Amino acid sequence: MVKNTGKDKEKDSKRKLVAQNKKARHDYLIIDTYECGLVLTGTEVKSLRQGRASLVDGFVQIDGGEAWLHNVHVPEYAQGTWTNHSARRKRKLLLHRVEIDKLESKSGESGHTIVPLALYFKDGRAKIEIALAKGKKEYDKRQTLREKQDRRETDRAISAVKRKERASLRQHRAE
């Protein structure tokens, strides 16, 4: 009898990233994120397991009390037959009713939209991280970029000072 150790369970529950939408974090101010499942066909899952997908033009729309993922490109499976899927079909998202209602009311406000952030496998199931987001203006994007550069410069300056301190400490010990 083989016991299931904590390490095995921890290894299985990790996320295996398939695709990420970095542009969404640049173009939108992320308000709230949700993790949801996807309704997929067999060839879509096989294609995703090969690490092939693009979330760049994707968006989520609430229609008839159901959440649908549009414009996400999952290429056709190379070894697929006539049962292969179309690359840009709309896919149903699996969310709780409360979450769907909340997303529907919030996305109805002006300037708000729902965008996919990441597509990954968790515990062997395909999951997608979606976010309620508000579009950034051009000056907001520049401000975010400026803050990022400032943060990077301060981190470099701090690490340079620490490096000098370590070097002087080593030199002092050698004497």
Side-chain angles (χ1 to χ4, degrees), residues 69-113:
L69 182 65
H70 294 270
N71 280 356
V72 170
H73 186 264
V74 178
E76 290 186 353
Y77 183 58
Q79 286 79 31
T81 59
W82 57 272
T83 59
N84 228 337
H85 64 279
S86 62
R88 288 206 184 264
R89 74 177 189 90
K90 70 178 192 175
R91 295 163 180 89
K92 187 176 179 179
L93 297 179
L94 304 173
L95 285 161
H96 292 282
R97 170 65 44 210
V98 176
E99 294 173 331
I100 292 174
D101 293 341
K102 187 176 179 182
L103 281 171
E104 188 172 24
S105 66
K106 293 282 189 179
S107 66
E109 297 174 11
S110 71
H112 288 79
T113 187

Side-chain angles (χ1 to χ4, degrees), residues 77 123 158 168:
Y77 183 58
D123 297 329
I158 291 169
S168 66

Side-chain angles (χ1 to χ4, degrees), residues 1-13 123:
M1 187 170 148
V2 179
K3 288 185 178 180
N4 188 7
T5 62
K7 286 184 180 180
D8 294 338
K9 195 169 189 173
E10 183 181 305
K11 190 175 106 178
D12 291 340
S13 65
D123 297 329

Side-chain angles (χ1 to χ4, degrees), residues 158-170:
I158 291 169
S159 64
V161 168
K162 286 182 179 179
R163 222 180 355 255
K164 285 180 183 177
E165 286 176 358
R166 282 192 301 252
S168 66
L169 228 143
R170 277 189 220 121

Side-chain angles (χ1 to χ4, degrees), residues 29-35 102-103 106 113-115 117 129-134:
L29 176 68
I30 307 301
I31 298 168
D32 202 6
T33 60
Y34 299 88
E35 179 184 70
K102 187 176 179 182
L103 281 171
K106 293 282 189 179
T113 187
I114 309 167
V115 292
L117 297 178
E129 183 180 18
I130 60 173
L132 179 66
K134 186 171 183 172

